[in-house]
Amino acid sequence: MDTGCAMEALAPKPFSPPSGDAPPAIDIRHVFRRNPGRRGKADAVFEDFSLRVGQGEVVGLFGPNGSGKTTLLNMVAGLLRPDAGEIVHAAPQRRVAYVFQDYKNSLFPWFSVETNILFPLAAAGMPVKMRRERLTRLRRTVDIPFGLDKYPYQLSGGQQQYVSVLRGLIGDPSVLLLDEPFSALDQASTAWLREVLRRAFAACRVSALMVSHDLAHFSDLAARVCVLSGRPARVAREILAPRRGRKRREDCPYAGIAQ
């Protein structure tokens, strides 16, 4: 089989909005959020902020430090509440999966890879047989290039972060939130993780909202990138990009945003 053709077949297709009246996976509507500031003065993080993430769409969030990117993820996850406005999930009966940047503290070191992945299902009380079926289905859908009997310390940083992502995907979430998933990784691990995530996102058609401080991280992963302004945050610019294989950092379709 021709390797080039095989890789092309695995390449994710550019996002196309769902037809008909299908609701977005996440609909952030006119959200206001203030955090406690210095000397008791409230700090406006969001004022009348709106954003939609389509079904099966991966959206990147980029902006200056303190612009509210992680605060936005926390509100979507339900960890924080907006002061006003609403965040509507198309499938509220399904869970939101959250992948944190610190994979070292996200995984249980005394659990195997398999037990780490299955932990959310076990914590929810799902029977063992159903958990096994979920894991089998996940393994048929995405590539897991290391043994499930290994422990986190036996894996590279990129592999450990991938376990965190698989733990999120195992529950068939309505949306996957990723907060700086590459920030604690070296260049080689980042390149490896981006490639396996590209394949996993394409296979699962997951809706995702991903934060990164590096625009190149969005290449081949995000269908669009929303560039946030300073506080109160707004979408200052939105960039759509086709997802194609790129080898060089300067080939990143979002490179011009930082100019």
Side-chain angles (χ1 to χ4, degrees):
M1 182 177 181
D2 183 83
T3 304
C5 293
M7 291 300 293
E8 183 65 24
L10 286 170
K13 303 298 186 291
F15 172 76
S16 56
S19 58
D21 298 324
I26 311 168
D27 194 356
I28 303 169
R29 303 174 179 173
H30 308 289
V31 160
F32 289 74
R33 172 74 192 188
R34 290 178 179 270
N35 288 342
R38 296 179 178 179
R39 299 178 181 177
K41 184 178 180 181
D43 184 13
V45 184
F46 294 102
E47 289 186 353
D48 199 24
F49 182 88
S50 297
L51 178 67
R52 288 185 172 188
V53 177
Q55 300 280 354
E57 184 184 25
V58 178
V59 175
L61 286 177
F62 178 81
N65 291 336
S67 60
K69 301 183 294 296
T70 298
T71 298
L72 185 62
L73 293 190
N74 289 339
M75 287 194 292
V76 173
L79 301 177
L80 293 175
R81 291 184 178 181
D83 297 326
E86 60 181 345
I87 299 176
V88 179
H89 294 262
Q93 72 280 8
R94 292 162 61 191
R95 296 175 180 271
V96 172
Y98 205 144
V99 177
F100 301 97
Q101 58 181 290
D102 187 1
Y103 59 86
K104 293 181 180 178
N105 290 321
S106 296
L107 300 179
F108 298 103
W110 55 86
F111 285 165
S112 67
V113 167
E114 178 176 322
T115 305
N116 267 290
I117 293 174
L118 291 174
F119 180 79
L121 305 185
M126 181 178 288
V128 174
K129 182 180 179 181
M130 292 183 65
R131 284 182 245 159
R132 297 294 182 189
E133 291 172 352
R134 285 285 189 95
L135 183 59
T136 299
R137 187 172 65 185
L138 182 67
R139 295 184 70 180
R140 289 173 178 171
T141 305
V142 303
D143 181 32
I144 305 179
F146 42 79
L148 297 181
D149 58 342
K150 291 184 177 295
Y151 287 82
Y153 76 89
Q154 296 175 299
L155 305 179
S156 69
Q159 290 173 332
Q160 290 184 56
Q161 188 65 294
Y162 188 43
V163 172
S164 297
V165 174
L166 294 173
R167 184 173 58 187
L169 293 176
I170 193 73
D172 189 26
S174 61
V175 63
L176 182 66
L177 306 176
L178 302 103
D179 188 10
E180 300 273 10
F182 309 106
S183 65
L185 303 178
D186 58 30
Q187 186 174 1
S189 295
T190 295
W192 179 87
L193 183 59
R194 280 179 54 200
E195 176 60 20
V196 294
L197 287 185
R198 180 185 69 82
R199 298 189 184 195
F201 289 171
C204 297
R205 291 296 294 166
V206 64
S207 304
L209 193 57
M210 182 174 74
V211 167
S212 181
H213 67 279
D214 190 332
L215 288 166
H217 292 165
F218 298 119
S219 185
D220 290 329
L221 290 178
R224 59 189 169 105
V225 172
C226 294
V227 183
L228 301 186
S229 68
R231 295 186 178 187
R234 61 181 178 84
V235 178
R237 187 175 179 185
E238 186 174 277
I239 305 297
L240 303 177
R243 289 179 282 185
R244 304 171 185 151
R246 298 178 180 87
K247 301 298 183 182
R248 300 177 302 167
R249 183 184 182 88
E250 55 267 30
D251 292 333
C252 170
Y254 314 113
I257 300 175
Q259 301 301 323

Short mmCIF file of all heavy atoms in Angstrom, two decimals, residues 93-136:
data_model
loop_
_atom_site.label_atom_id
_atom_site.label_comp_id
_atom_site.label_asym_id
_atom_site.label_seq_id
_atom_site.Cartn_x
_atom_site.Cartn_y
_atom_site.Cartn_z
N GLN A 93 -26.56 15.96 28.72
CA GLN A 93 -26.55 14.68 29.43
C GLN A 93 -25.19 14.00 29.34
O GLN A 93 -24.91 13.06 30.09
CB GLN A 93 -27.63 13.74 28.87
CG GLN A 93 -27.35 13.15 27.49
CD GLN A 93 -27.65 14.11 26.34
OE1 GLN A 93 -27.95 15.28 26.57
NE2 GLN A 93 -27.59 13.60 25.12
N ARG A 94 -24.34 14.46 28.42
CA ARG A 94 -23.00 13.89 28.28
C ARG A 94 -22.00 14.75 29.04
O ARG A 94 -22.19 15.94 29.23
CB ARG A 94 -22.61 13.78 26.81
CG ARG A 94 -23.45 12.76 26.05
CD ARG A 94 -23.36 12.97 24.55
NE ARG A 94 -22.01 12.83 24.04
CZ ARG A 94 -21.66 13.18 22.80
NH1 ARG A 94 -22.55 13.69 21.97
NH2 ARG A 94 -20.41 13.02 22.40
N ARG A 95 -20.91 14.12 29.45
CA ARG A 95 -19.91 14.80 30.26
C ARG A 95 -18.99 15.68 29.40
O ARG A 95 -18.81 15.44 28.22
CB ARG A 95 -19.07 13.78 31.03
CG ARG A 95 -19.86 12.97 32.05
CD ARG A 95 -18.99 11.91 32.70
NE ARG A 95 -19.74 11.14 33.67
CZ ARG A 95 -19.87 11.46 34.96
NH1 ARG A 95 -19.27 12.54 35.41
NH2 ARG A 95 -20.58 10.71 35.78
N VAL A 96 -18.39 16.66 30.06
CA VAL A 96 -17.32 17.46 29.48
C VAL A 96 -16.00 16.89 29.96
O VAL A 96 -15.83 16.62 31.15
CB VAL A 96 -17.45 18.94 29.89
CG1 VAL A 96 -16.22 19.73 29.43
CG2 VAL A 96 -18.72 19.55 29.33
N ALA A 97 -15.07 16.66 29.05
CA ALA A 97 -13.75 16.14 29.42
C ALA A 97 -12.74 17.29 29.41
O ALA A 97 -12.74 18.11 28.50
CB ALA A 97 -13.31 15.05 28.45
N TYR A 98 -11.89 17.32 30.43
CA TYR A 98 -10.93 18.42 30.61
C TYR A 98 -9.53 17.82 30.68
O TYR A 98 -9.24 17.00 31.55
CB TYR A 98 -11.25 19.16 31.90
CG TYR A 98 -10.82 20.60 31.98
CD1 TYR A 98 -11.60 21.55 32.64
CD2 TYR A 98 -9.61 21.03 31.43
CE1 TYR A 98 -11.21 22.87 32.74
CE2 TYR A 98 -9.22 22.34 31.51
CZ TYR A 98 -10.02 23.27 32.17
OH TYR A 98 -9.63 24.58 32.26
N VAL A 99 -8.65 18.24 29.78
CA VAL A 99 -7.26 17.80 29.77
C VAL A 99 -6.40 18.98 30.22
O VAL A 99 -6.37 20.03 29.56
CB VAL A 99 -6.82 17.33 28.37
CG1 VAL A 99 -5.34 16.94 28.36
CG2 VAL A 99 -7.68 16.16 27.91
N PHE A 100 -5.70 18.81 31.34
CA PHE A 100 -4.89 19.89 31.92
C PHE A 100 -3.46 19.84 31.38
O PHE A 100 -3.01 18.82 30.85
CB PHE A 100 -4.87 19.77 33.45
CG PHE A 100 -6.24 19.84 34.07
CD1 PHE A 100 -6.93 18.69 34.39
CD2 PHE A 100 -6.85 21.06 34.31
CE1 PHE A 100 -8.20 18.74 34.96
CE2 PHE A 100 -8.11 21.14 34.87
CZ PHE A 100 -8.78 19.96 35.20
N GLN A 101 -2.76 20.95 31.53
CA GLN A 101 -1.41 21.02 30.98
C GLN A 101 -0.41 20.21 31.79
O GLN A 101 0.58 19.72 31.25
CB GLN A 101 -0.95 22.48 30.88
CG GLN A 101 -0.96 23.25 32.17
CD GLN A 101 -0.51 24.68 31.98
OE1 GLN A 101 0.66 24.95 31.72
NE2 GLN A 101 -1.43 25.63 32.09
N ASP A 102 -0.66 20.03 33.08
CA ASP A 102 0.29 19.33 33.95
C ASP A 102 -0.05 17.84 33.99
O ASP A 102 -0.75 17.37 34.89
CB ASP A 102 0.26 19.93 35.35
CG ASP A 102 1.34 19.36 36.26
OD1 ASP A 102 2.13 18.52 35.77
OD2 ASP A 102 1.40 19.75 37.43
N TYR A 103 0.44 17.10 33.01
CA TYR A 103 0.13 15.67 32.94
C TYR A 103 0.71 14.89 34.11
O TYR A 103 0.17 13.85 34.51
CB TYR A 103 0.66 15.08 31.62
CG TYR A 103 2.14 15.21 31.42
CD1 TYR A 103 3.03 14.28 31.94
CD2 TYR A 103 2.67 16.29 30.70
CE1 TYR A 103 4.40 14.41 31.76
CE2 TYR A 103 4.04 16.43 30.52
CZ TYR A 103 4.89 15.49 31.05
OH TYR A 103 6.24 15.62 30.88
N LYS A 104 1.81 15.38 34.69
CA LYS A 104 2.45 14.65 35.80
C LYS A 104 1.54 14.55 37.01
O LYS A 104 1.58 13.56 37.75
CB LYS A 104 3.76 15.34 36.18
CG LYS A 104 4.85 15.25 35.11
CD LYS A 104 6.13 15.92 35.57
CE LYS A 104 7.20 15.82 34.50
NZ LYS A 104 8.46 16.50 34.91
N ASN A 105 0.74 15.58 37.23
CA ASN A 105 -0.18 15.56 38.36
C ASN A 105 -1.60 15.17 37.96
O ASN A 105 -2.50 15.16 38.80
CB ASN A 105 -0.21 16.94 39.05
CG ASN A 105 1.08 17.23 39.79
OD1 ASN A 105 1.67 16.35 40.40
ND2 ASN A 105 1.54 18.48 39.71
N SER A 106 -1.81 14.88 36.68
CA SER A 106 -3.13 14.51 36.21
C SER A 106 -3.35 13.00 36.23
O SER A 106 -4.48 12.53 36.29
CB SER A 106 -3.35 15.04 34.79
OG SER A 106 -3.33 16.45 34.76
N LEU A 107 -2.25 12.24 36.14
CA LEU A 107 -2.35 10.79 36.11
C LEU A 107 -2.03 10.21 37.49
O LEU A 107 -1.26 10.79 38.25
CB LEU A 107 -1.40 10.20 35.07
CG LEU A 107 -1.61 10.64 33.63
CD1 LEU A 107 -0.56 9.99 32.72
CD2 LEU A 107 -3.01 10.31 33.13
N PHE A 108 -2.60 9.06 37.78
CA PHE A 108 -2.31 8.36 39.02
C PHE A 108 -1.07 7.49 38.80
O PHE A 108 -1.12 6.53 38.02
CB PHE A 108 -3.49 7.49 39.43
CG PHE A 108 -4.75 8.26 39.71
CD1 PHE A 108 -5.78 8.30 38.78
CD2 PHE A 108 -4.90 8.96 40.90
CE1 PHE A 108 -6.95 9.01 39.03
CE2 PHE A 108 -6.06 9.68 41.16
CZ PHE A 108 -7.09 9.71 40.23
N PRO A 109 0.05 7.79 39.46
CA PRO A 109 1.28 7.05 39.19
C PRO A 109 1.22 5.58 39.60
O PRO A 109 1.97 4.76 39.07
CB PRO A 109 2.34 7.81 40.01
CG PRO A 109 1.57 8.51 41.08
CD PRO A 109 0.24 8.85 40.47
N TRP A 110 0.34 5.24 40.53
CA TRP A 110 0.23 3.85 41.00
C TRP A 110 -0.74 3.02 40.17
O TRP A 110 -0.91 1.83 40.41
CB TRP A 110 -0.19 3.82 42.48
CG TRP A 110 -1.47 4.58 42.74
CD1 TRP A 110 -2.74 4.12 42.64
CD2 TRP A 110 -1.55 5.95 43.15
NE1 TRP A 110 -3.64 5.11 42.95
CE2 TRP A 110 -2.94 6.25 43.28
CE3 TRP A 110 -0.62 6.95 43.44
CZ2 TRP A 110 -3.39 7.50 43.67
CZ3 TRP A 110 -1.10 8.19 43.81
CH2 TRP A 110 -2.45 8.47 43.93
N PHE A 111 -1.39 3.66 39.17
CA PHE A 111 -2.30 2.95 38.27
C PHE A 111 -1.61 2.70 36.94
O PHE A 111 -0.80 3.51 36.47
CB PHE A 111 -3.57 3.76 38.01
CG PHE A 111 -4.56 3.78 39.15
CD1 PHE A 111 -5.59 4.71 39.16
CD2 PHE A 111 -4.47 2.88 40.19
CE1 PHE A 111 -6.52 4.74 40.20
CE2 PHE A 111 -5.37 2.91 41.24
CZ PHE A 111 -6.40 3.84 41.24
N SER A 112 -1.96 1.60 36.29
CA SER A 112 -1.48 1.34 34.94
C SER A 112 -2.14 2.30 33.97
O SER A 112 -3.10 3.01 34.32
CB SER A 112 -1.79 -0.10 34.54
OG SER A 112 -3.20 -0.27 34.42
N VAL A 113 -1.65 2.32 32.74
CA VAL A 113 -2.25 3.15 31.69
C VAL A 113 -3.73 2.80 31.53
O VAL A 113 -4.59 3.68 31.45
CB VAL A 113 -1.50 2.96 30.35
CG1 VAL A 113 -2.30 3.57 29.20
CG2 VAL A 113 -0.12 3.61 30.43
N GLU A 114 -4.03 1.52 31.47
CA GLU A 114 -5.42 1.09 31.29
C GLU A 114 -6.31 1.59 32.43
O GLU A 114 -7.40 2.13 32.18
CB GLU A 114 -5.49 -0.43 31.21
CG GLU A 114 -6.90 -0.97 31.06
CD GLU A 114 -6.95 -2.46 30.89
OE1 GLU A 114 -6.07 -3.01 30.19
OE2 GLU A 114 -7.87 -3.11 31.43
N THR A 115 -5.85 1.45 33.66
CA THR A 115 -6.66 1.88 34.80
C THR A 115 -6.82 3.40 34.82
O THR A 115 -7.89 3.91 35.17
CB THR A 115 -6.03 1.40 36.12
OG1 THR A 115 -5.85 -0.02 36.05
CG2 THR A 115 -6.93 1.71 37.30
N ASN A 116 -5.77 4.12 34.43
CA ASN A 116 -5.88 5.58 34.33
C ASN A 116 -6.93 5.98 33.31
O ASN A 116 -7.74 6.88 33.55
CB ASN A 116 -4.53 6.18 33.96
CG ASN A 116 -3.71 6.60 35.17
OD1 ASN A 116 -4.05 7.57 35.86
ND2 ASN A 116 -2.65 5.86 35.45
N ILE A 117 -6.92 5.34 32.15
CA ILE A 117 -7.87 5.68 31.09
C ILE A 117 -9.30 5.39 31.54
O ILE A 117 -10.23 6.17 31.29
CB ILE A 117 -7.54 4.91 29.80
CG1 ILE A 117 -6.21 5.40 29.22
CG2 ILE A 117 -8.65 5.08 28.77
CD1 ILE A 117 -5.72 4.59 28.03
N LEU A 118 -9.49 4.27 32.22
CA LEU A 118 -10.82 3.83 32.61
C LEU A 118 -11.32 4.48 33.90
O LEU A 118 -12.49 4.29 34.27
CB LEU A 118 -10.84 2.31 32.78
CG LEU A 118 -10.69 1.49 31.49
CD1 LEU A 118 -10.58 0.01 31.81
CD2 LEU A 118 -11.86 1.74 30.54
N PHE A 119 -10.47 5.24 34.57
CA PHE A 119 -10.84 5.77 35.89
C PHE A 119 -12.15 6.57 35.88
O PHE A 119 -12.98 6.39 36.79
CB PHE A 119 -9.71 6.62 36.46
CG PHE A 119 -10.03 7.20 37.80
CD1 PHE A 119 -9.93 6.43 38.94
CD2 PHE A 119 -10.47 8.52 37.93
CE1 PHE A 119 -10.25 6.95 40.20
CE2 PHE A 119 -10.79 9.05 39.16
CZ PHE A 119 -10.68 8.26 40.30
N PRO A 120 -12.40 7.48 34.93
CA PRO A 120 -13.66 8.23 34.98
C PRO A 120 -14.89 7.33 34.92
O PRO A 120 -15.90 7.62 35.56
CB PRO A 120 -13.59 9.14 33.74
CG PRO A 120 -12.14 9.23 33.41
CD PRO A 120 -11.56 7.91 33.79
N LEU A 121 -14.80 6.23 34.15
CA LEU A 121 -15.94 5.32 34.06
C LEU A 121 -16.13 4.56 35.37
O LEU A 121 -17.26 4.34 35.82
CB LEU A 121 -15.73 4.33 32.91
CG LEU A 121 -15.46 4.94 31.53
CD1 LEU A 121 -15.38 3.85 30.47
CD2 LEU A 121 -16.52 5.97 31.17
N ALA A 122 -15.00 4.17 35.99
CA ALA A 122 -15.09 3.47 37.28
C ALA A 122 -15.65 4.41 38.35
O ALA A 122 -16.48 4.00 39.17
CB ALA A 122 -13.71 2.96 37.68
N ALA A 123 -15.19 5.67 38.34
CA ALA A 123 -15.67 6.63 39.33
C ALA A 123 -17.16 6.90 39.17
O ALA A 123 -17.85 7.21 40.15
CB ALA A 123 -14.88 7.94 39.21
N ALA A 124 -17.66 6.77 37.94
CA ALA A 124 -19.09 6.98 37.68
C ALA A 124 -19.92 5.74 37.98
O ALA A 124 -21.14 5.77 37.85
CB ALA A 124 -19.30 7.39 36.23
N GLY A 125 -19.25 4.65 38.37
CA GLY A 125 -19.97 3.45 38.73
C GLY A 125 -20.33 2.54 37.58
O GLY A 125 -21.20 1.66 37.72
N MET A 126 -19.70 2.72 36.43
CA MET A 126 -20.00 1.87 35.29
C MET A 126 -19.51 0.44 35.54
O MET A 126 -18.39 0.25 36.02
CB MET A 126 -19.34 2.43 34.02
CG MET A 126 -19.62 1.60 32.76
SD MET A 126 -18.87 2.31 31.26
CE MET A 126 -19.93 3.75 31.02
N PRO A 127 -20.31 -0.57 35.24
CA PRO A 127 -19.88 -1.96 35.43
C PRO A 127 -18.62 -2.29 34.65
O PRO A 127 -18.35 -1.70 33.59
CB PRO A 127 -21.08 -2.77 34.92
CG PRO A 127 -22.25 -1.84 35.03
CD PRO A 127 -21.70 -0.47 34.77
N VAL A 128 -17.85 -3.24 35.17
CA VAL A 128 -16.57 -3.60 34.57
C VAL A 128 -16.74 -4.03 33.12
O VAL A 128 -15.95 -3.63 32.25
CB VAL A 128 -15.90 -4.74 35.38
CG1 VAL A 128 -14.64 -5.23 34.67
CG2 VAL A 128 -15.56 -4.26 36.78
N LYS A 129 -17.75 -4.82 32.82
CA LYS A 129 -17.96 -5.30 31.45
C LYS A 129 -18.16 -4.14 30.48
O LYS A 129 -17.58 -4.13 29.39
CB LYS A 129 -19.16 -6.24 31.39
CG LYS A 129 -19.39 -6.83 30.01
CD LYS A 129 -20.59 -7.75 30.00
CE LYS A 129 -20.83 -8.32 28.60
NZ LYS A 129 -22.01 -9.22 28.56
N MET A 130 -18.92 -3.15 30.88
CA MET A 130 -19.16 -2.00 30.01
C MET A 130 -17.89 -1.18 29.84
O MET A 130 -17.63 -0.63 28.77
CB MET A 130 -20.29 -1.14 30.59
CG MET A 130 -21.65 -1.80 30.55
SD MET A 130 -22.96 -0.71 31.17
CE MET A 130 -22.94 0.60 29.94
N ARG A 131 -17.11 -1.10 30.90
CA ARG A 131 -15.83 -0.37 30.79
C ARG A 131 -14.92 -1.04 29.78
O ARG A 131 -14.28 -0.37 28.96
CB ARG A 131 -15.12 -0.33 32.14
CG ARG A 131 -15.69 0.64 33.14
CD ARG A 131 -14.86 0.61 34.41
NE ARG A 131 -15.64 0.12 35.54
CZ ARG A 131 -15.12 -0.37 36.64
NH1 ARG A 131 -13.80 -0.47 36.77
NH2 ARG A 131 -15.88 -0.77 37.63
N ARG A 132 -14.85 -2.36 29.81
CA ARG A 132 -14.02 -3.11 28.87
C ARG A 132 -14.50 -2.89 27.44
O ARG A 132 -13.69 -2.76 26.51
CB ARG A 132 -14.07 -4.60 29.21
CG ARG A 132 -13.50 -4.95 30.57
CD ARG A 132 -12.02 -4.70 30.65
NE ARG A 132 -11.48 -5.10 31.95
CZ ARG A 132 -10.25 -4.82 32.34
NH1 ARG A 132 -9.44 -4.14 31.55
NH2 ARG A 132 -9.82 -5.21 33.52
N GLU A 133 -15.80 -2.86 27.27
CA GLU A 133 -16.36 -2.64 25.93
C GLU A 133 -16.00 -1.25 25.42
O GLU A 133 -15.67 -1.07 24.25
CB GLU A 133 -17.88 -2.82 25.97
CG GLU A 133 -18.32 -4.26 26.20
CD GLU A 133 -19.81 -4.39 26.41
OE1 GLU A 133 -20.49 -3.33 26.53
OE2 GLU A 133 -20.32 -5.54 26.45
N ARG A 134 -16.06 -0.25 26.31
CA ARG A 134 -15.67 1.11 25.93
C ARG A 134 -14.20 1.16 25.51
O ARG A 134 -13.85 1.83 24.53
CB ARG A 134 -15.92 2.07 27.09
CG ARG A 134 -17.36 2.44 27.34
CD ARG A 134 -17.87 3.43 26.30
NE ARG A 134 -19.18 3.92 26.66
CZ ARG A 134 -19.41 5.06 27.32
NH1 ARG A 134 -18.40 5.81 27.69
NH2 ARG A 134 -20.64 5.44 27.60
N LEU A 135 -13.36 0.49 26.27
CA LEU A 135 -11.93 0.49 25.96
C LEU A 135 -11.67 -0.20 24.63
O LEU A 135 -10.86 0.28 23.82
CB LEU A 135 -11.15 -0.20 27.08
CG LEU A 135 -9.62 -0.21 26.91
CD1 LEU A 135 -9.07 1.21 26.83
CD2 LEU A 135 -8.96 -0.96 28.07
N THR A 136 -12.34 -1.30 24.38
CA THR A 136 -12.18 -2.01 23.11
C THR A 136 -12.59 -1.12 21.95
O THR A 136 -11.91 -1.05 20.92
CB THR A 136 -13.02 -3.30 23.11
OG1 THR A 136 -12.56 -4.16 24.15
CG2 THR A 136 -12.91 -4.02 21.78
#
